[in-house]
């Protein structure tokens, strides 16, 4: 693989990149910086400057990842999954020892949040599984239990942390690959109904604060100054923005700190207050274009691994956007999923940029029929 | 390789389906957002504005209280204070720790702040310190600007220029209680700088003095920090309340009373204007309005001089001989002639029981004028038996005793005017001759307050139904006549004139040192304990030999000038022993102040100088005694333990004493 990169004809490879999409990604990221600049009351500190540096770094990393061949991802799919699973166990064990919930491993230089990368690893690992699954086995029991186990293990560990949002994302990513990998519809509809029927039992197993969040999601006015505060203030920010918004640097909800997590999970509300419906729809359409491109890459790719990874990663980014914006607008419980490319914070941006880098790589190799 | 065949087509179909899901989800999100920002925009814009803008009430400046000439008795002084909103401050204790570095806070302050934080609604601000001075205010603004929830404020503090002299009259102000807030939920009650009247005029005229709160619209962060002012509606200060009080007279009289436990009322006989209303000792309203120190409060509650009680309206006393005018007027109105005489032999016997006159040899033949002047008990015993107890009680009520008056004092105690019906109702016993005799000379069940006594004097002096008036607004009322023939009233007044100016008067030392002005008066003594027959045989012990709290109350009523009465005075000195020695000089001096201010003030400074030297001498004697005791202790050495025991025994004996005499204390109720 390293030889492949070195031997490539660089000018041609660069020209082959979908620059329209890269510019779109950069534009979304830049818009995010503008929002963070305003959220800090018109200041680069403390968010916009650091976010800008990370974004630039990750953008370069994304371009570098786009040059990696799919064979590499295929090869490391299982090892990566295994390492992250061990890391999740390690986090859990550390949490037990220190007597509190913990989500990251402190490696000295960086804090590694294994659950974050598991969102990618589950897609790669399952895609690898289906890539090598003999034709016709997708519907058989032998082709169903391994992916279910592969999803179940990390989801269980993440739920123990407890991190409902990430567990949902990993499940959704895994189910997406199983769905695209050829799982018969009866296997989807049946368990789907089963899951729906078991929701009340799941609810009773949730932590108290999670139960409260669900209840408050169903009726935010029940506790407007307590836990319903987040949702209520976020809706006020979006609603008061109106069609055209209050104007750049004019968002009172964010500047006067009524909006909680204005720079992370609720950054969409911060944006919508100042840019209004126009800004919100514009941002959603930009994500739509990006996701549409991702799915087209999947349809164009020739290898099963490439198709599944491309579609799975697109759907992962889609879930990010969907859950975050639904949460911010009061359509979903508050689960702590950031808005990709916009929310302040490194982990989620890194995950999304890696996914985009892999997508760019698949796009580059979309015409190759074998890995 | 995988792109063709069944599985390839299935992948395409399912990928398209997912694409459809994405489009549908996108539609849902956009639809939801449009709903929020178009159809519900108005509602949320309002909510956002409510968030952003906070309405802060500005405590209204309290109206002034001024005296009859417009001199301020209670005003407002600009000051600085520090408030905190506990819900915004985070950890209250660590916030207080930071504040304590700039502004000293003791354990009491912290306890109070924590207690208030618990009882107040979480969003309300509470006072950390008031009247903190400019330096502390500036330092706080500078050093604690980043502490959330902290609010250094400009405010006003109630100021009473003359302090304790006006304590009971004006009362004081303080924070509204939790009960007051619960009553009407007025958010003004929660504003830390806001004060309500707690006693006296401050409490009675609360509605007039309060004013209307101002409001300030400010932009605030979620943590309560003010970003900027938007608009301010100024407060409407409370109205000024003008009293009929003479500030100079009241201050002079308070100083004249000194350390005694006394009350003084001066009423203008023509208008009913209360010129002076004092109960001493008193609290300093400046101190009480800030925060009442617990130790001070406890000391005042324990003080036998009762500084927390407004004795003028709440202190009840046996009127003693000052009541004899009532008996006299009752007799005159019942047909007894002023010239009717009684022979006084020093004792009066009914059915085997003997009542004594204070002169053992007797006053001889006594008519009404002389009876008053000499305060002859036998004359009034005999007269009261002629007219009966109802006539005496009716006259007492007519003269204002047993009544409550329309003046702005929160609590007035009416006292007791006993008659046969009252006794039957109260004790279920029939009225006895003894009751008639006791009442006739102002003893027995009678209970009056100093204000009533002053009104009675004003009514006798003017011959009209004078009503006391403390608020100077509005025209003076024209009072109806008492309905007692003027020549009868004149006999009574002459008797009172003789008390001070006549040859055998009981208060001759109280003559006014003012050219051309004479004072009429009447002394009274209210027994605090009954003199037992055994004591009487041994000879009456002088009051001075008794402990302070067993001495008689000294009473004196007066009016002046005698030819055209203008001022009516009542003075009661608790345990002052003698009306003529303790009470009458105070009346004399304050009337002197009215007619010759310089002379009165010169007398007062002389008096104060002698008081000061007496105090020094006493302190010196105590110091010497202490030194001697210490020396004796050193000498005694081993016997030190022994000396303690007698002291303890003495203390126990003193405590047991009141209980022992209690059954006999029927005639002289203390308050």
């Amino acid at each position: 693989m390293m030889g492949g990169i070195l031997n490539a004809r660089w000018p041609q490879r660069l020209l082959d990149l979908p620059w329209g999409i890269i510019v779109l990604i950069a534009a979304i990221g830049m818009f995010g910086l503008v929002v963070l600049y305003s959220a800090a009351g018109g200041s680069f500190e403390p968010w916009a400057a650091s976010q800008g540096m990370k974004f630039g770094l990750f953008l370069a990393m994304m371009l570098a990842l786009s040059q990696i061949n799919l064979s590499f991802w295929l090869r490391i799919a299982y090892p990566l999954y295994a390492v992250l699973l061990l890391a999740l166990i390690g986090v859990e064990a550390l949490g037990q020892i220190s007597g509190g919930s913990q989500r990251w491993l402190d490696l000295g230089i960086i804090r590694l949040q294994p659950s974050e990368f598991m969102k990618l690893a589950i897609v790669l690992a399952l895609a690898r599984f289906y890539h090598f699954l003999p034709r016709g086995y997708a519907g058989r029991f032998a082709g169903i239990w391994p992916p279910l186990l592969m999803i179940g293990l990390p989801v269980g560990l993440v739920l123990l942390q407890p991190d409902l949002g990430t567990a949902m994302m990993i499940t959704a990513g895994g189910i997406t690959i199983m769905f695209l990998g050829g799982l018969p519809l009866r296997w989807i509809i049946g368990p789907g109904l089963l899951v729906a029927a078991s929701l009340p039992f799941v609810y009773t197993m949730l932590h108290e604060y999670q139960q409260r969040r669900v209840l408050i999601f169903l009726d935010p006015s029940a506790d407007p100054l307590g836990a319903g505060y987040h949702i209520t203030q976020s809706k006020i920010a979006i609603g008061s923005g109106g069609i055209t918004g209050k104007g750049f640097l004019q968002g009172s909800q964010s500047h006067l700190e009524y909006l909680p997590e204005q720079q992370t999970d609720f950054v969409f509300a911060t944006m919508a207050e100042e840019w209004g419906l126009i800004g919100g729809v514009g941002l959603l359409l930009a994500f739509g274009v990006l996701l549409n491109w991702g799915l087209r890459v999947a349809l164009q790719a020739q290898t099963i691994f490439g198709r599944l990874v491309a579609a799975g990663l697109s759907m992962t980014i889609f879930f990010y956007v969907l859950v975050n914006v639904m949460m911010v607008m009061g359509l979903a419980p508050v689960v702590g999923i950031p808005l990709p490319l916009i929310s302040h914070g490194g982990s989620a941006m890194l995950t999304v940029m890696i996914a985009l880098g892999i997508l760019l790589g698949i796009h580059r190799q979309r015409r190759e029929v074998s890995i | 390789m995988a792109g063709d065949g069944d599985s390839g087509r299935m992948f395409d179909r399912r990928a398209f389906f997912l694409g459809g899901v994405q489009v549908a989800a996108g539609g849902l999100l956009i639809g939801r957002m449009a709903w929020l920002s178009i159809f519900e925009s108005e509602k949320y814009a309002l909510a956002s504005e409510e968030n952003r803008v906070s309405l802060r009430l500005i405590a209204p400046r309290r109206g002034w209280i001024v005296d009859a000439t417009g001199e301020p008795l209670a005003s407002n002084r600009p000051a600085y204070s520090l408030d905190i909103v506990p819900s915004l401050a985070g950890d209250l204790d660590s916030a207080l720790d930071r504040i304590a570095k700039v502004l000293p806070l003791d354990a009491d302050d912290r306890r109070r702040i924590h207690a208030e934080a618990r009882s107040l609604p979480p969003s309300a601000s509470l006072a950390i310190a008031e009247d903190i001075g400019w330096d502390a205010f500036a330092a706080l603004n500078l050093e604690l600007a980043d502490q959330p929830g902290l609010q250094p404020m400009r405010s006003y503090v109630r100021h009473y220029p003359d302090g304790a002299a006006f304590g009971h009259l004006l009362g004081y102000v303080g924070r509204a209680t939790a009960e007051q807030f619960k009553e009407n939920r007025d958010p003004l009650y929660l504003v830390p700088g806001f004060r309500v009247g707690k006693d006296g005029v401050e409490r009675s005229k609360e509605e007039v003095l309060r004013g209307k709160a101002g409001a300030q619209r400010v932009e605030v962060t979620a943590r309560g920090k003010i970003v900027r002012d938007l608009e301010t509606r100024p407060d409407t200060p409370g109205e000024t309340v003008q009293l009929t009080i003479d500030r100079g007279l009241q201050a002079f009289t308070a100083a004249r009373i000194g350390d005694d436990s006394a009350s003084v009322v001066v009423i203008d006989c023509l208008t009913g204007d209360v010129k002076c209303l004092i109960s001493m000792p008193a609290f300093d309203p400046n101190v009480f309005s800030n925060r009442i120190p617990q130790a001070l409060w406890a000391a005042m509650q324990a003080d036998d001089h009762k500084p927390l009680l407004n004795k003028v309206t709440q202190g009840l006393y046996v009127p003693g001989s000052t009541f004899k005018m009532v008996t006299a007027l009752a007799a005159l109105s019942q047909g007894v002639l002023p010239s009717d005489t009684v022979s006084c032999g020093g004792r009066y016997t009914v059915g085997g029981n003997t009542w004594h006159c204070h002169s053992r040899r007797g006053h001889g033949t006594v008519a009404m004028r002389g009876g008053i002047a000499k305060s002859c008990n036998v004359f009034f015993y005999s007269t009261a038996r002629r007219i009966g107890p109802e006539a005496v009680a009716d006259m007492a009520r007519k003269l204002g005793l047993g009544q409550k008056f329309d003046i702005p004092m929160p609590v007035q105690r009416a006292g007791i005017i006993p008659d046969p019906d009252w006794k039957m109702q109260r004790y279920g016993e029939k009225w006895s001759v003894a009751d008639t005799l006791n009442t006739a000379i102002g003893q027995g069940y009678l209970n009056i307050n100093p204000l009533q006594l002053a009104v009675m004097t004003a009514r006798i002096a003017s011959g009209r139904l004078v009503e006391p008036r403390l608020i100077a607004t509005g025209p003076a009322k024209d009072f109806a006549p008492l309905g007692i023939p003027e020549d009868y009233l004149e006999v009574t007044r002459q008797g009172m004139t003789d008390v001070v100016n006549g040859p055998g008067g009981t208060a001759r030392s109280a003559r006014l040192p003012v050219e051309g002005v004479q004072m009429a008066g009447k002394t009274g003594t209210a027994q605090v304990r009954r003199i037992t027959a055994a004591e009487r045989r041994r000879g009456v012990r002088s009051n001075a030999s008794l402990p302070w709290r067993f001495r008689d109350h000294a009473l004196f009523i007066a009016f002046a000038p005698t030819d055209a009465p203008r001022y009516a005075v009542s003075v009661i000195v608790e345990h002052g022993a003698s009306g003529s020695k303790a009470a009458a000089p105070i009346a004399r001096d304050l009337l002197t102040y009215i007619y010759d201010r310089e002379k009165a003030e010169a007398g007062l400074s002389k008096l104060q100088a002698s008081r000061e030297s007496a105090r020094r001498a006493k302190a010196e004697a105590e110091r010497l005694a202490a030194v001697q005791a210490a020396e004796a202790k050193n000498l005694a050495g081993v016997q030190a333990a022994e000396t303690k025991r007698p002291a303890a025994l003495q203390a126990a004996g003193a405590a047991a004493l009141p209980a022992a005499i209690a059954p006999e204390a029927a005639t002289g109720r203390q308050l």
Side-chain angles (χ1 to χ4, degrees), chain B residues 62-124:
Chain B
R62 208 169 165 78
W64 285 24
I65 302 176
V66 299
D67 84 341
T69 58
E71 290 271 309
L73 304 178
S75 58
N76 305 311
R77 178 167 55 79
Y80 302 97
S81 61
L82 181 66
D83 300 345
I84 194 168
V85 183
S87 62
L88 303 171
D91 179 31
L92 191 55
D93 258 320
S94 62
L96 291 180
D97 284 341
R98 288 193 65 191
I99 294 163
K101 284 178 193 146
V102 183
L103 198 74
L105 293 173
D106 59 31
D108 260 5
D109 290 329
R110 280 173 174 255
R111 242 196 315 279
R112 174 190 61 80
I113 291 164
H114 276 289
E116 275 185 33
R118 275 192 299 276
S119 66
L120 284 172
S123 57

Side-chain angles (χ1 to χ4, degrees), chain B residues 439-591:
Chain B
T439 306
I441 59 161
Q443 304 287 346
Y445 298 110
L446 272 167
N447 252 197
I448 52 93
N449 70 38
L451 177 64
Q452 292 167 350
L453 210 53
V455 171
M456 178 191 89
T457 313
R459 288 184 179 180
I460 293 169
S462 67
R464 292 179 178 274
L465 282 166
V466 176
E467 287 283 337
R469 184 176 85 133
L470 198 50
I471 304 297
T473 42
K477 267 193 248 168
D478 202 17
F479 302 117
L482 268 178
I484 301 171
E486 183 57 29
D487 46 347
Y488 285 10
L489 282 168
E490 195 51 37
V491 172
T492 319
R493 291 183 204 134
Q494 299 244 306
M496 288 175 72
T497 305
D498 291 347
V499 166
V500 181
N501 306 288
T506 52
R508 278 185 56 80
S509 60
R511 271 168 304 173
L512 279 190
V514 182
E515 195 67 38
V517 183
Q518 277 196 334
M519 170 174 93
K522 181 76 194 78
T523 57
T525 305
Q527 286 175 1
V528 172
R529 51 189 273 284
R530 169 168 284 176
I531 298 159
T532 62
E535 278 180 316
R536 199 178 291 281
R537 274 194 300 280
R538 267 185 268 125
V540 179
R541 287 174 73 188
S542 78
N543 265 291
S545 67
L546 289 169
W548 182 78
R549 66 177 185 282
F550 297 131
R551 293 179 201 164
D552 298 336
H553 293 321
L555 291 82
F556 190 70
I557 58 173
F559 64 84
T562 47
D563 45 358
R566 178 70 198 273
Y567 299 105
V569 182
S570 83
V571 178
I572 296 182
V573 179
E574 287 196 347
H575 309 294
S578 157
S580 61
K581 289 200 188 84
I586 294 178
R588 174 198 66 202
D589 289 354
L590 74 88
L591 284 168

Side-chain angles (χ1 to χ4, degrees), chain A residues 138-370:
Chain A
R140 294 193 194 173
F141 184 65
I144 289 174
W145 71 261
L148 280 181
L149 186 68
M150 284 161 76
I151 297 170
L153 284 176
V155 166
L157 286 168
V158 170
L159 274 179
L160 281 176
Q161 285 184 355
D163 186 349
L164 193 61
T166 303
M168 273 167 51
M169 292 274 301
I170 295 170
T171 310
I175 299 286
T176 302
I177 302 294
M178 289 181 75
F179 175 66
L180 290 171
L183 187 69
L185 282 181
R186 65 174 184 277
W187 278 101
I188 295 170
I189 294 166
L193 290 175
L194 207 68
V195 167
S198 70
L199 275 182
F201 299 100
V202 173
Y203 175 79
T204 60
M205 287 165 66
L206 292 178
H207 281 250
E208 199 197 326
Y209 82 94
Q210 290 171 329
Q211 290 186 351
R212 209 166 53 230
R213 278 187 185 175
V214 173
L215 282 181
I216 285 156
F217 157 64
L218 294 173
D219 182 14
S221 60
D223 188 13
L225 287 176
Y229 184 81
H230 289 45
I231 293 176
T232 307
Q233 293 301 334
S234 173
K235 279 157 74 178
I236 290 174
I238 296 171
S240 66
I243 296 173
T244 55
K246 292 176 182 168
F248 184 53
L249 297 179
Q250 301 298 314
S252 61
Q253 284 287 104
S254 57
H255 291 168
L256 301 178
E257 298 162 35
Y258 289 95
L259 196 57
E261 305 287 327
Q262 50 177 326
Q263 81 284 12
T264 55
D265 290 359
F266 286 87
V267 75
F268 186 84
T270 306
M271 184 279 303
E273 188 184 16
E274 298 192 351
W275 300 88
L277 181 62
I278 293 171
V281 170
L283 184 62
L284 289 176
L285 286 182
F287 277 118
V289 170
L290 185 64
L291 294 170
N292 180 46
W293 169 78
L295 276 184
R296 271 192 291 121
V297 169
L299 287 170
Q300 287 168 0
Q302 300 296 310
T303 61
I304 291 177
F305 184 68
R307 297 181 135 207
L308 289 177
V309 170
L313 293 181
S314 299
M315 287 303 285
T316 299
I317 298 172
F318 166 72
F319 286 131
Y320 265 112
V321 177
L322 179 71
V323 174
N324 176 268
V325 178
M326 280 176 68
M327 169 183 97
V328 165
M329 297 200 297
L331 292 175
V334 177
V335 283
I337 299 285
L339 185 63
L341 304 176
I342 309 278
S343 287
H344 178 260
S347 284
M349 188 161 65
L350 181 60
T351 311
V352 170
M353 298 292 264
I354 291 172
L356 289 171
I358 297 172
L359 267 169
L360 286 171
I362 298 170
H363 176 263
R364 186 175 54 79
Q365 296 174 283
R366 63 191 180 279
R367 291 188 193 84
E368 293 176 18
V369 291
S370 66

Side-chain angles (χ1 to χ4, degrees), chain A residues 5-169:
Chain A
I5 291 174
L6 291 175
N7 294 338
R9 284 173 294 125
W10 281 99
Q12 189 54 43
R13 292 192 95 165
L14 281 177
L15 280 176
D16 281 348
L17 287 170
W19 283 104
I21 288 303
I22 294 170
V23 167
L24 179 68
I25 293 167
I28 295 175
M30 294 299 286
F31 184 55
L33 297 184
V34 168
V35 174
L36 291 181
Y37 175 83
S38 173
S43 156
F44 286 107
E45 298 299 331
W47 302 312
S50 66
Q51 180 85 344
M53 283 193 6
K54 279 182 207 154
F55 185 65
L57 199 70
F58 293 163
L59 207 58
M61 180 205 67
M62 176 187 81
L63 292 176
L65 288 178
S66 76
Q67 300 309 312
I68 293 174
N69 285 338
L70 264 182
S71 54
F72 171 76
W73 299 117
L74 186 67
R75 219 179 313 133
I76 69 155
Y78 279 172
L80 180 67
Y81 174 82
V83 165
L84 287 175
L85 202 59
L86 285 175
L88 278 177
I89 294 168
V91 166
E92 189 54 36
L94 269 181
Q96 291 292 333
I97 292 164
S98 67
S101 95
Q102 204 169 348
R103 294 179 181 183
W104 37 262
L105 281 177
D106 204 336
L107 298 183
I109 320 161
I110 53 161
R111 282 176 175 180
L112 186 69
Q113 198 176 331
S115 60
E116 190 61 39
F117 296 108
M118 190 48 104
K119 291 170 191 166
L120 300 177
I122 191 73
V123 169
L124 291 173
L126 285 179
R128 186 200 185 284
F129 175 79
Y130 282 104
H131 185 79
F132 290 114
L133 190 69
R135 184 167 296 182
Y137 270 80
R140 294 193 194 173
F141 184 65
I144 289 174
W145 71 261
L148 280 181
L149 186 68
M150 284 161 76
I151 297 170
L153 284 176
V155 166
L157 286 168
V158 170
L159 274 179
L160 281 176
Q161 285 184 355
D163 186 349
L164 193 61
T166 303
M168 273 167 51
M169 292 274 301

